[in-house]
């Protein structure tokens, strides 16, 4: 993987778009990423990781998607600028471009407020044939899968092997085996080996559960055998628990003892049952004979009791027979009696109707006959016909009254409308002038608002410039002071260097003499004899001191250059601000902008009412036209109503003379007609009532005559006597059934008393039924007890035989399960490091990680030897830790000066840095090979160089520079000042109030 170009917009501390040219940075092999604390050096690396994996490194990742997107957004960015990261790289021989935009808020396109823009991703590939970019995908998931396959590593692996966090590896050196295992497990993805351990553990637990379940089933069968045996077995259940190997044989032996005991008890119960059956048969025969004698005796006694009871009811039977004969005679009188009762009910009804009709008639008509009442009814109906003819005139008169009332209502409404229109139109001129003045005022305010807006914006710009001018004036003085101090320090440093250089030149002979070797020629004169070599005097200056002074002088000169650039930049800003402010004071400009703002706001408020004022004038003119039209219409309606009212008055006067005669004494024609109709109805009802009364009286007289004749022929002295003897059909059937029952009972009793066997049994002594019954019940109980005992014994034998076979089946089924459990348990204990066969107590995952750690230590040692001048070697140790801890992930440093091995936790700060750096580089190589991913051509090392001395720093840089042999480049993230001199290619991150910026420098020249 090789990075080409990175573009960052509104990301982290970067407000505007910043471009990073990695092709130029990586051309020198090593480049420096430096800047002040908090400027955003690490944010550049975060942007690379975010472009590749849609997430920043885990240590800086906030919790939750919303928090993540909020943490990426720059606080310095403008509201309309989108947060975006674009990365161009080559991986797997393909040149790709990744663009990421997190979810972020933006102003709504319509209305006010903000809305959330969804996260976006874009993957493009450069097409060499068409020399252009070809889009591949916009899906987050597809892009993630594509990049993951090309790089061959997860985000955690990428952050460890490309962004090399030195602090993590320093902690790795001091960590225990468990912490190292967690980190290595994430990097080398040994989850499959941990899964093997967990799978074996699950298989062991499953096999153990199956064995225990089999043992529990076997114990369950044993419990059922114990329950089936009852109290007949004296030997207790086996004492073994589920999981004990000897449980199965013990249960089988115990079951055999219980089974044989049950067989013996069944034989004993069978003999007892045969004896009980013979006794029960004899008792049953005696009981049957006794029961038959008792039945015959009871039958004969029952016949005698029924005969006595029947004779006692004979008088009642004779009375019932006589009553039934009289009722059958009275049935011949029933038709005449029913006709007479109907006639009597009809006469009573007619009498009541006649009384009610006469109560409503006048006194002079109470005794009138039906013919006279009918004549009066006809006269009343003739008068009613004459009155009905006047109802049409009465309805027309009522319609005229309603129409006149409606005309009066309309007249009142039109009067109110005319008065309102006249009053409104009287003030029309004043209303129109008022609306026109509002329109003119609003138009003038709009013109004034435009003028004030043109004055307000320049005044605000001038105010901002004046404020910046005052602030920059102080900064200018401070930068001038800093520049003067830097120049003084540079002059002092240069004088110190020149002085040391001159002193070294004066003592150069002693320096050269120090390098002379007897017998070897002099580098100056060539002579092999050195009779009087010069000696170093007091205060001798060597080359290292001169070089240090020269470096200090160069550093001071660079500080002067930086101070000069900063001072020139501040002066330019100050001059621009002073020119823009026009020389006015801030207070004056504040007062001016406040006044213009208030006047502009007031004018804008008045101008905003222009449209409303014009609309109000138009509405008033439309209302005037509407009121004039309504006034004219109302005047026309007033004239028409006057003519209509006069015509209605004439028509109603003509109708009233006829209606007075038709009403009579009533209030209306309808009331008079209703009164006549009621009188005619009363007369008709009274005539009908008189006719019905006469008819029913004649029917009642005829019914009395027929009833007296029927009663005489039936043999009764009076009709009343015949009515008293009558019975209903139900009563007659009841009496008939009672007589039939008496006769049937008499025949049955006679037959019962005539039976010879019952009469002979009655002559014998009473049968001893209770004694025979007790003897039979006792024998029956003994038989049931013996039978139950035999059934129980046979059932126990059968159940115990079945349970014994089931126990044997459970034992046979349990054998393979126990064998499988023992095999899996031994293998699981071995991989978990708990087996006695595993001497080092090393888990399978730890064993694999130990092999990887050994490879990492070997790869790291190749660079560590160069960094430490051949002193240190990093080795892996699988020795067990103290306190019974498991082994496999130990690290030691072998010191060649002492020949002893040291724990990595005892290294000093500088030693820890270059050892962890060597470990990180070695880990990067091994993880890349292990993941099988793309070749990593660019690495980043974050901080840690400040703990190294000059010699070690040179050796470390030489090792990093050697990576170019494999066509790889290294980016160092650090703010150590000495690295700026040693590494010419630099990416500088500068922070300011408006956000951070990046600049590229190669060999001291701005890129």
């Amino acid at each position: 993987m090789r990075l080409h170009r990175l573009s960052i917009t509104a990301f982290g501390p970067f407000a505007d778009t910043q471009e990073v040219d990695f092709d130029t940075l990586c051309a020198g092999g090593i480049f420096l990423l430096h800047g002040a604390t908090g400027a955003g050096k690490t944010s550049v690396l975060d942007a690379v990781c975010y472009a590749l994996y849609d997430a920043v490194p885990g240590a800086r990742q906030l919790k939750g998607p919303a928090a993540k997107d909020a943490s990426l957004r720059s606080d310095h960015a403008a509201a309309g600028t989108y947060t975006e990261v674009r990365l161009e790289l080559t991986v797997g021989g393909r040149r790709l471009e990744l663009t990421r935009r997190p979810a972020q808020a933006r102003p709504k396109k319509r209305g006010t407020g903000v809305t959330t823009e969804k996260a976006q991703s874009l993957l493009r590939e450069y097409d060499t044939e068409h020399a252009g970019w070809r889009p591949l995908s916009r899906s987050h998931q597809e892009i993630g899968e594509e990049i993951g396959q090309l790089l061959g590593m997860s985000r955690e692996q990428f952050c460890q092997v490309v962004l090399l966090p030195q602090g993590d590896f320093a902690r790795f050196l001091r960590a225990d085996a468990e912490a190292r295992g967690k980190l290595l497990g994430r990097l080398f993805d040994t989850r499959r080996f941990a899964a093997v351990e967990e799978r074996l553990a699950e298989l062991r637990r499953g096999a153990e559960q199956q064995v225990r379940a089999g043992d529990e089933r076997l114990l369950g069968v044993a419990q059922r055998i114990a329950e089936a045996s009852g109290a007949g077995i004296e030997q207790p259940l086996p004492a073994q628990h589920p999981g004990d190997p000897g449980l199965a044989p013990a249960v089988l032996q115990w079951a055999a003892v219980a089974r044989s005991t049950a067989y013996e008890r069944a034989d004993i119960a069978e003999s007892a049952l045969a004896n009980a059956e013979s006794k029960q048969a004899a008792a049953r025969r005696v009981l049957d004979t006794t029961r038959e004698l008792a039945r015959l005796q009871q039958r004969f006694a029952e016949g005698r009791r029924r005969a006595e009871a029947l004779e006692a009811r004979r008088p009642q039977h004779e009375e019932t027979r006589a009553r039934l004969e009289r009722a059958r005679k009275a049935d011949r009188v029933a038709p005449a009696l029913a006709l007479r009762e109907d006639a009597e009910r009809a006469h009573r009804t007619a009498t009541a109707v006649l009384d009610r009709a006469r109560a409503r008639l006048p006194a002079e008509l109470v005794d009138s006959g039906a013919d006279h009442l009918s004549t009066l009814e006809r006269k009343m109906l003739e008068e009613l016909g004459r009155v009905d003819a006047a109802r049409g005139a009465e309805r027309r008169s009522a319609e005229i009254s309603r129409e006149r009332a409606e005309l009066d209502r309309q007249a009142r409404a039109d009067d109110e409308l005319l008065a309102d229109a006249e009053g409104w139109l009287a003030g029309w001129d004043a209303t129109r002038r008022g609306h026109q003045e509002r329109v003119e005022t609003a138009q003038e305010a709009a013109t004034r608002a435009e003028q004030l807006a043109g004055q307000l914006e320049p005044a605000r710009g001038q105010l901002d410039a004046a404020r910046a001018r005052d602030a920059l004036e102080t900064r200018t003085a401070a930068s001038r002071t800093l520049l003067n101090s830097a120049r003084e320090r540079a002059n002092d440093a240069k004088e110190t260097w020149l002085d040391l250089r001159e002193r070294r030149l004066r003592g150069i002979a002693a320096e050269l003499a120090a390098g002379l070797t007897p017998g070897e020629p002099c580098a100056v004169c060539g002579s092999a004899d050195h009779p009087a070599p010069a000696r170093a005097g007091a205060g001798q200056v060597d080359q290292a001191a001169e070089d240090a002074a020269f470096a200090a002088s160069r550093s001071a000169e660079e500080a002067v250059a930086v101070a000069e650039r900063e001072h020139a930049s501040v002066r330019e800003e100050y001059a621009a601000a002073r020119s823009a402010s026009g020389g006015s004071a801030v207070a004056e400009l504040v007062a001016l902008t406040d006044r213009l703002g208030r006047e502009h706001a007031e004018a804008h408020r008045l101008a905003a009412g222009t449209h409303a004022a014009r609309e109000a004038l138009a509405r008033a003119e439309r209302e005037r036209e509407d009121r004039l039209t309504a006034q004219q219409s109302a005047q026309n309606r007033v004239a028409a109503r006057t003519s209509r009212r006069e015509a209605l008055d004439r028509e109603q006067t003509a109708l009233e003379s006829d209606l007075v005669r038709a009403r009579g004494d009533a209030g209306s024609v309808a009331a008079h007609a209703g009164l006549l109709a009621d009188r005619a109805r009363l007369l008709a009802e009274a005539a009908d009532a008189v006719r019905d009364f006469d008819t029913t009286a004649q029917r009642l007289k005829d019914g009395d005559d027929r009833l007296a004749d029927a009663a005489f022929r039936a043999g009764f002295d009076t009709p009343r006597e015949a009515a008293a003897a009558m019975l209903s059909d139900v009563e007659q059937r009841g009496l008939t059934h009672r007589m039939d029952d008496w006769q049937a009972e008499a025949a049955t009793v006679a037959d019962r008393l005539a039976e010879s066997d019952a009469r002979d049994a009655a002559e014998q002594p009473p049968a001893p039924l209770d004694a025979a019954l007790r003897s039979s019940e006792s024998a029956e109980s003994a038989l049931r007890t013996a039978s139950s005992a035999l059934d129980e014994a046979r059932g126990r034998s059968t159940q115990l035989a079945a349970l014994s076979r089931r126990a044997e089946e459970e034992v046979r089924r349990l054998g393979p399960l126990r064998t499988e459990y023992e095999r899996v348990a031994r293998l699981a204990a071995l991989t978990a490091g708990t087996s006695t066969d595993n001497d080092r107590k090393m888990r399978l995952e730890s064993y694999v990680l130990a092999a990887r750690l050994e490879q990492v230590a070997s790869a790291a040692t190749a660079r560590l030897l160069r960094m430490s001048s051949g002193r240190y070697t990093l080795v892996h140790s699988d020795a067990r830790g103290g306190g019974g801890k498991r082994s496999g992930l130990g690290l030691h440093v072998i010191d060649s000066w002492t020949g002893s091995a040291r724990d990595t936790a005892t290294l000093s700060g500088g030693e820890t840095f270059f050892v962890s750096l060597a470990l990180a580089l070695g880990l990067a190589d091994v993880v890349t090979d292990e993941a099988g991913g793309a070749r990593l051509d660019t690495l980043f090392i974050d901080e840690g160089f400040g703990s190294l001395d000059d010699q070690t720093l040179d050796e470390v840089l030489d090792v990093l520079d050697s990576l170019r042999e494999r066509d790889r480049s290294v980016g160092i993230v650090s703010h150590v000042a000495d690295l700026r001199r040693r590494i010419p290619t630099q990416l500088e991150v500068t922070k300011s109030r408006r956000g951070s910026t990046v600049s590229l420098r190669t060999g001291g020249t701005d890129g």
Side-chain angles (χ1 to χ4, degrees), residues 10-12 50 54-56 60-75 83-84 100-105 116-120 140:
F11 182 88
Y50 176 69
D54 194 24
V56 296
R60 295 179 290 278
Q61 178 72 59
L62 297 182
K63 300 297 183 183
K68 178 195 76 171
D69 297 335
S71 67
L72 301 179
R73 176 75 178 171
S74 175
D75 296 332
T83 299
E84 181 181 276
R100 302 278 192 182
R101 277 189 180 184
Q104 50 195 301
T116 300
E117 188 82 14
K118 293 183 178 179
Q120 301 179 17
H140 300 291

Side-chain angles (χ1 to χ4, degrees), residues 314-627:
R314 183 177 294 277
Q316 185 180 0
H317 170 66
E318 296 297 334
E319 182 183 355
T320 301
R321 183 176 60 185
R323 185 181 175 189
L324 181 60
E325 289 176 355
R326 287 178 60 83
R328 288 173 178 172
K329 292 179 181 179
D331 288 342
R332 295 195 292 272
V333 186
L337 181 61
L339 290 174
R340 198 271 176 190
E341 290 177 350
D342 292 341
E344 185 179 7
R345 284 196 297 273
H347 184 63
R348 285 199 300 270
T349 302
T351 302
V353 171
L354 179 61
D355 292 342
R356 287 196 297 271
R358 285 176 175 175
R360 294 195 296 271
L361 290 176
E364 64 272 13
L365 299 178
V366 170
D367 296 329
S368 298
D371 295 337
H372 180 65
L373 293 175
S374 297
T375 302
L376 293 177
E377 177 193 4
R378 285 194 296 272
K379 292 180 180 180
M380 201 68 66
L381 291 175
E382 291 173 357
E383 186 177 357
L384 179 61
R386 291 191 297 273
V387 172
D388 285 340
R391 287 189 177 184
E394 186 179 40
R395 287 194 296 271
R396 176 57 186 161
S397 178
E399 291 175 357
I400 293 173
S401 299
R402 288 194 296 273
E403 188 173 355
R404 290 189 61 184
E406 177 62 21
L407 291 175
D408 294 342
R409 186 191 64 76
Q410 294 177 358
R412 289 192 298 272
D414 286 340
D415 292 342
E416 294 176 358
L417 189 148
L418 290 172
D420 180 63
E422 184 177 357
W424 191 91
L425 292 172
W428 163 245
D429 294 335
T431 301
R432 181 175 56 186
R433 285 195 301 272
H435 286 301
Q436 290 176 345
E437 290 175 358
R438 283 184 59 196
V439 172
E440 293 171 357
T441 301
Q443 291 175 344
E444 293 175 359
T447 304
R448 176 64 177 163
E450 294 178 358
Q451 296 174 353
L452 291 173
Q455 299 175 8
L456 181 60
E457 190 60 30
R460 289 175 175 170
Q462 193 174 2
L463 174 60
D464 294 339
R467 289 172 174 167
R469 176 201 62 199
D470 294 346
L472 289 170
E473 186 175 1
T474 304
R475 288 181 56 192
T476 302
S479 65
R480 185 183 299 109
T481 301
L482 293 176
L483 177 60
N484 293 334
S485 300
R487 286 173 176 172
E488 292 177 0
R489 288 193 297 272
N491 292 333
D492 293 342
K494 189 171 184 180
E495 290 177 1
T496 301
W497 169 61
L498 292 175
D499 179 60
L500 292 175
R501 183 180 180 186
E502 183 178 356
R503 290 168 57 189
R504 182 185 173 218
L505 291 175
R506 287 198 300 267
I508 194 65
E511 183 177 341
L512 293 174
L516 294 177
T517 303
E520 293 184 2
C522 176
V524 178
C525 64
S527 173
D529 297 330
H530 315 298
R535 303 293 183 184
Q540 177 69 38
V541 178
D542 57 4
Q543 185 178 358
E546 181 185 354
D547 291 344
F550 176 73
S553 176
R554 287 293 301 275
S555 178
E557 289 176 357
E558 291 177 359
V560 170
V562 172
E564 287 176 348
R565 288 195 299 272
E566 292 180 354
H567 181 61
S569 176
V570 172
R571 288 185 60 188
E572 290 176 0
E573 294 180 7
Y574 174 70
R578 184 174 60 183
S579 175
S581 66
S584 300
V586 173
E588 297 176 357
L589 293 175
V590 169
L592 176 61
T593 54
D594 291 344
R595 179 177 60 80
L596 291 176
R598 289 193 300 272
E599 293 178 358
H600 177 266
E602 180 62 22
H604 188 273
R605 184 186 64 78
L606 294 175
T610 302
H611 179 73
R614 289 175 177 172
E615 288 293 326
L617 177 59
R619 286 196 301 273
E621 291 176 348
R622 289 194 298 271
E623 185 177 0
R624 176 175 176 273
E625 295 297 330
D626 294 341
R627 287 182 179 271

Side-chain angles (χ1 to χ4, degrees), residues 860-872 914 918 951-952 954-963 965:
T861 298
R863 296 183 175 90
L864 180 58
L865 288 172
R866 293 186 60 183
M867 293 182 187
S868 63
S869 299
R871 178 178 178 182
Y872 293 124
F914 64 72
Q951 181 179 357
T952 305
D954 289 336
E955 294 171 347
V956 170
L957 293 179
D958 289 342
V959 171
L960 295 179
D961 190 54
S962 67
L963 295 175
E965 299 172 1

